[in-house]
Amino acid sequence: MNTIQGTVKRQWELEGLHCANCAMKIEDKVGKIEGVSSCSVNFVTKTLTMVTDENHAEAAGVEAARTVTALEPHVKLKEKLAGGRAIPQAKSGHEHGHSHEEKGHTHDHGTSHDHGHGHAHGDEDGHGHTHSHGEGDTRRILTRLAGGGILAAAGMLLPVNGVVELLIFLAAYFIVGGEVVLQAIKNIVRGQVFDENFLMALATIGAFAIGEYPEGVAVMLFYQVGELFQGLAVNRSRRSITALMDIRPEFAELKVDGGTRRVSPEEVAIGDIILVKPGEKVPLDGTILEGRAMMDTSALTGESVPRSAGPGSKVLSGFINRNGVITVEVTQSFGESAVSKILELVQNASSNKAKTENFITKFARGYTPVVVITALLLAVVPPLLISGATFSDWIYRALVFLVISCPCALVVSIPLGFFGGIGAASRSGILVKGSNYLEALNDVKVVVFDKTGTLTKGQFKVTGIYPANGRSKEELLRTAAYAESHSNHPIAESIRAAYAEEIAKDAISDYNEISGHGISVNVDGKAVLAGNARLMEREGIAYQVPEQSGTIVHIATGKQYDGYLVIADEVKEDSARAISALKGLGIRKTVMLTGDAASVAEAVGRELGVDEIHAELLPQHKVEAIERLEREKSGREKIIFVGDGINDTPVLARADVGIAMGGLGSDAAIEAADIVIMTDEPSKIATAIGVAKRTRRIVWQNIGFALGVKAIFLLLGAFGIATMWEAVFSDVGVTVLAVLNSVRALKVEEQG
């Protein structure tokens, strides 16, 4: 249980959840429980996430368990602990009343940045599936279908008729579809009428009623085979998506007296020492004490080139040790480790649903009753109005119409498509906090960047040494390094780093920092000045005016000008590529906002090809700039703000989509932004937009394909051209194809 500012967030694994419509029903009903502020069911990861206020937390938990059991008796709840492990809980609602804190469990679910929203779906919002197509039941189903099929074939081939023929076909029907009829009856008793079980039972029993025994059995057989394939396709999609996030370490080698002991990562405490051997995943965040190794970081960052790590290097859970043996001191508990946060963010992303998903939910809710009423009218009206029309013919057409109507392809494939897109982004080191943000990337036309730490590395470096009056570069750099030897300023550190030699402390005396100007100091008995142009002017020393942009440090010895150094923040290697890739994707305007000096900002902006540059801004000025851009854009257009997530929180929150250059394990970035780029590479923004465009293409292909096929077959069914065979294909076949198409969203196409 995770308590955040008066709210409690809990998660359960829904074991046995095999249909998307069941997930919608559970989400709807649990969302209406008193005290529940948001509820989301992730069909792909079988996870129920519920946020309640503190006062109702325990009662709402008990009621949620009771609700799930009432809706889907076969589904078992297991409450999830930090890091994604599940603890088994009783299936029945009344056994959930214990306090987990009393039992010693802490249920911390990582980040508190939760945008979950409950969505009302209603009971009549689509169609359920038979629940027997889980991973372990395939052989049993095939045996049963084969038995029913053989019996039906015997009924067709043997010279029997009358009651004997009916009994053979009834036996075949109940072997093949008995559980569908039983499930339909159970659902009706629970007040859930319009689901797929009911429609299939109605259609096939109707076929028996009008004497079409072989067709009643054959359609049920075809439907069950289709459902089996659909279940296998959905499970394959689930496995493909969860394989992307297979970064959870299974064990840690904890150092104990005289050796090591293999334990669960949750058991390791901060400060413990663990051993990581070649080929193993690093189980927890920490610092290397001994040993060197090449670290494969691709699971977290998407970066294919391994990075070298040695004593003092930070390593994160999810890294894979490629060669050496390393000893690591643990710095974060497992619940707070990088791998836990990433898994939490990606798995919970579906709680923020895209408008397309919400549209489909609402569409299904209104569409089904309309189709059922239309089918009823189709069965009754034509025989009354058209001479020669028979009730049996039009009832058959109405039954066909009902079977075709199921919007299962949409209900199943669209969440899978979005989840696939989020999974593909995570494989590239891009964490998207919801399918709504992934969808919003499609409409982005303006991208606004912070400069320092986003387009530049945020690390000062000496980029130029310009001696004067006969001094050499080496002499000038040495004098500057000695002058700056006592300063903690990043510029002083960059000068000492460039000098990279030992500084003899006894050569320095009379050190004095002059606020707003620089430093005066004696080096080797000579008076040295190091600072800005104001210092030179104050001391009456003639100095050169540099042409270069950056921070300038002028040096003078004994009132004699020695030259100047240029210190600049380095531009990231892929920043220019990022800007050109965005323009290639149709971004209308790129803007840079920075608190840095105008000359530095202009130089960086020109180098990268940024369209608009605003410098010397305070954080509130950045928000004002975003608001001005908001007013200038058209209605549908979206604005991205990209920052480093620490001092840019107000702007990240104000933009349509806030993207943080998170770096690995940056808490502030993960909290503030809607999307986090784990590699700190600006070019990943174009990759994210590419993933979003591909995902939307796939989702709309599924919508167009499913509705197009439905429309054609509904017309054919109404005119008596389509039989129940085609009806079942238009339901189950289309769903299987749409699910397989959704898997394509997992692929990533690099941009730029």
Side-chain angles (χ1 to χ4, degrees):
M1 201 182 292
N2 189 25
T3 306
I4 308 151
Q5 296 176 353
T7 64
V8 175
K9 181 175 171 184
R10 293 170 77 175
Q11 285 188 317
W12 289 269
E13 184 182 316
L14 301 176
E15 200 175 80
L17 181 72
H18 297 310
C19 83
N21 188 58
C22 317
M24 288 203 305
K25 286 177 188 169
I26 291 168
E27 181 175 286
D28 173 45
K29 290 291 186 190
V30 173
K32 290 174 180 171
I33 292 170
E34 187 185 356
V36 175
S37 55
S38 73
C39 169
S40 175
V41 176
N42 185 332
F43 168 58
V44 182
T45 58
K46 306 182 188 180
T47 303
L48 164 65
T49 304
M50 183 177 79
V51 178
T52 60
D53 61 59
E54 276 182 295
N55 301 331
H56 292 84
E58 206 59 50
V62 174
E63 185 60 22
R66 195 195 62 73
T67 302
V68 172
T69 305
L71 285 172
E72 306 294 334
H74 61 285
V75 171
K76 293 180 184 175
L77 287 95
K78 291 182 179 178
E79 184 148 4
K80 282 187 162 190
L81 288 164
R85 287 195 186 276
I87 49 171
Q89 299 207 137
K91 194 164 84 171
S92 155
H94 350 275
E95 296 172 51
H96 286 271
H98 62 71
S99 160
H100 298 290
E101 280 77 3
E102 287 166 23
K103 287 187 172 276
H105 298 300
T106 51
H107 301 285
D108 175 22
H109 299 298
T111 175
S112 64
H113 194 73
D114 183 78
H115 301 284
H117 302 291
H119 300 283
H121 298 304
D123 275 330
E124 68 282 52
D125 57 354
H127 309 281
H129 292 272
T130 49
H131 303 289
S132 57
H133 305 315
E135 293 84 340
D137 295 333
T138 308
R139 188 173 295 172
R140 182 178 61 78
I141 295 165
L142 285 172
T143 306
R144 202 182 70 237
L145 295 183
I150 290 165
L151 204 55
M156 282 188 268
L157 297 174
L158 292 174
V160 290
N161 49 35
V163 176
V164 178
E165 182 188 18
L166 175 60
L167 289 173
I168 290 172
F169 279 112
L170 273 176
Y173 177 80
F174 281 108
I175 290 170
V176 170
E179 66 168 22
V180 174
V181 176
L182 187 64
Q183 191 64 45
I185 293 165
K186 283 181 181 174
N187 288 351
I188 291 166
V189 169
R190 292 203 298 267
Q192 301 165 29
V193 178
F194 297 125
D195 74 351
E196 196 167 65
N197 297 298
F198 170 73
L199 294 178
M200 281 309 304
L202 181 65
T204 49
I205 291 168
F208 269 83
I210 57 175
E212 299 284 350
Y213 310 148
E215 191 155 345
V217 176
V219 165
M220 185 61 87
L221 182 66
F222 186 23
Y223 167 72
Q224 288 279 55
V225 169
E227 280 284 279
L228 178 63
F229 279 121
Q230 181 181 311
L232 294 173
V234 169
N235 285 328
R236 177 173 175 254
S237 305
R238 275 180 166 150
R239 280 195 299 274
S240 302
I241 292 165
T242 49
L244 288 178
M245 295 173 286
D246 184 22
I247 57 178
R248 192 185 188 288
E250 293 303 314
F251 64 88
E253 290 279 353
L254 182 63
K255 274 203 163 187
V256 290
D257 298 335
T260 61
R261 183 163 56 90
R262 185 168 284 200
V263 297
S264 160
E266 285 94 339
E267 293 175 43
V268 181
I270 294 170
D272 282 351
I273 310 297
I274 56 172
L275 197 70
V276 185
K277 296 172 186 169
E280 291 180 354
K281 283 178 188 158
V282 176
L284 297 114
D285 300 2
T287 306
I288 296 178
L289 298 177
E290 297 170 24
R292 291 191 167 276
M294 294 302 286
M295 288 289 155
D296 177 351
T297 67
S298 59
L300 270 65
T301 65
E303 179 55 58
S304 55
V305 180
R307 57 175 74 172
S308 176
S313 300
K314 284 187 166 54
V315 289
L316 298 180
S317 52
F319 282 10
I320 297 170
N321 181 355
R322 281 280 172 235
N323 45 22
V325 177
I326 55 170
T327 306
V328 177
E329 181 180 355
V330 175
T331 56
Q332 289 279 20
S333 63
F334 185 74
E336 290 298 310
S337 66
V339 76
S340 290
K341 287 181 177 175
I342 289 170
L343 285 171
E344 159 119 16
L345 280 173
V346 177
Q347 291 179 351
N348 289 350
S350 68
S351 63
N352 302 317
K353 290 185 167 58
K355 284 181 182 173
T356 311
E357 288 183 86
N358 291 332
F359 158 73
I360 291 303
T361 300
K362 288 172 186 167
F363 174 83
R365 195 167 63 212
Y367 163 91
T368 309
V370 168
V371 168
V372 171
I373 292 162
T374 307
L376 191 64
L377 294 172
L378 196 63
V380 176
V381 174
L384 297 176
L385 299 181
I386 302 168
S387 60
T390 61
F391 270 101
S392 63
D393 180 33
W394 284 96
I395 288 170
Y396 180 80
R397 290 186 192 189
L399 294 173
V400 169
F401 193 85
L402 272 182
V403 174
I404 295 166
S405 72
C406 304
C408 307
L410 301 177
V411 171
V412 176
S413 67
I414 286 164
L416 273 178
F418 277 112
F419 203 87
I422 289 166
S426 77
R427 186 161 56 178
S428 287
I430 303 160
L431 298 183
V432 183
K433 288 191 180 177
S435 43
N436 53 337
Y437 303 121
L438 192 69
E439 190 168 60
L441 288 178
N442 286 288
D443 298 321
V444 167
K445 291 296 174 197
V446 180
V447 180
V448 184
F449 293 93
D450 172 47
K451 181 181 77 71
T452 309
T454 301
L455 293 172
T456 64
K457 292 179 180 177
Q459 298 164 352
F460 286 104
K461 188 175 180 182
V462 175
T463 56
I465 303 170
Y466 300 92
N469 297 325
R471 300 293 294 272
S472 70
K473 285 189 175 184
E474 290 75 18
E475 284 177 307
L476 181 62
L477 182 59
R478 179 184 182 277
T479 303
Y482 272 71
E484 300 278 5
S485 61
H486 290 311
S487 173
N488 294 322
H489 194 280
I491 288 171
E493 288 171 5
S494 70
I495 292 171
R496 292 197 298 270
Y499 180 58
E501 289 183 35
E502 194 72 39
I503 293 173
K505 299 290 183 189
D506 55 0
I508 300 155
S509 61
D510 298 334
Y511 178 88
N512 180 34
E513 284 199 23
I514 305 161
S515 180
H517 291 76
I519 291 161
S520 79
V521 63
N522 272 1
V523 178
D524 296 326
K526 295 174 186 172
V528 172
L529 295 169
N532 55 25
R534 286 200 300 274
L535 179 64
M536 296 295 112
E537 287 163 7
R538 193 182 94 158
E539 299 294 330
I541 298 167
Y543 64 93
Q544 292 178 11
V545 178
E547 294 173 8
Q548 299 81 4
S549 67
T551 301
I552 308 299
V553 177
H554 295 281
I555 309 292
T557 305
K559 300 284 186 180
Q560 177 78 29
Y561 186 63
D562 291 342
Y564 63 91
L565 278 65
V566 180
I567 289 99
D569 185 2
E570 276 189 292
V571 172
K572 289 181 181 175
E573 288 82 0
D574 72 331
S575 289
R577 189 169 84 246
I579 302 291
S580 65
L582 287 170
K583 289 182 175 172
L585 283 167
I587 298 300
R588 182 168 56 77
K589 186 193 285 186
T590 53
V591 182
M592 186 170 79
L593 307 178
T594 179
D596 211 339
S599 60
V600 176
E602 288 287 345
V604 171
R606 276 198 306 275
E607 182 187 338
L608 299 178
V610 177
D611 299 325
E612 212 173 279
I613 298 152
H614 301 278
E616 300 175 13
L617 303 176
L618 295 171
Q620 65 266 32
H621 298 145
K622 291 184 181 181
V623 175
E624 287 164 14
I626 288 281
E627 287 172 346
R628 181 178 53 75
L629 289 165
E630 281 277 356
R631 289 193 294 273
E632 290 171 6
K633 71 179 177 65
S634 66
R636 270 184 62 84
E637 288 183 351
K638 298 272 193 294
I639 294 177
I640 287 176
F641 177 77
V642 192
D644 59 12
I646 297 160
N647 55 359
D648 292 317
T649 310
V651 213
L652 284 165
R654 182 66 187 81
D656 295 317
V657 181
I659 300 183
M661 291 288 160
L664 288 167
S666 169
D667 290 344
I670 286 175
E671 286 296 316
D674 307 315
I675 296 173
V676 181
I677 293 177
M678 299 299 285
T679 58
D680 269 357
E681 294 172 295
S683 58
K684 293 286 186 186
I685 300 162
T687 305
I689 293 173
V691 168
K693 287 183 183 296
R694 181 181 175 80
T695 303
R696 181 165 74 171
R697 210 161 48 238
I698 288 166
V699 163
W700 280 101
Q701 280 168 4
N702 284 344
I703 291 171
F705 174 60
L707 292 181
V709 171
K710 294 280 180 207
I712 291 165
F713 280 94
L714 283 170
L715 282 172
L716 294 176
F719 288 110
I721 300 166
T723 65
M724 278 195 193
W725 292 90
E726 286 95 338
V728 174
F729 168 75
S730 86
D731 174 31
V732 180
V734 169
T735 305
V736 172
L737 294 173
V739 166
L740 294 175
N741 190 39
S742 293
V743 178
R744 291 174 49 239
L746 294 168
K747 192 177 166 191
V748 181
E749 293 169 344
E750 290 292 335
Q751 304 293 321

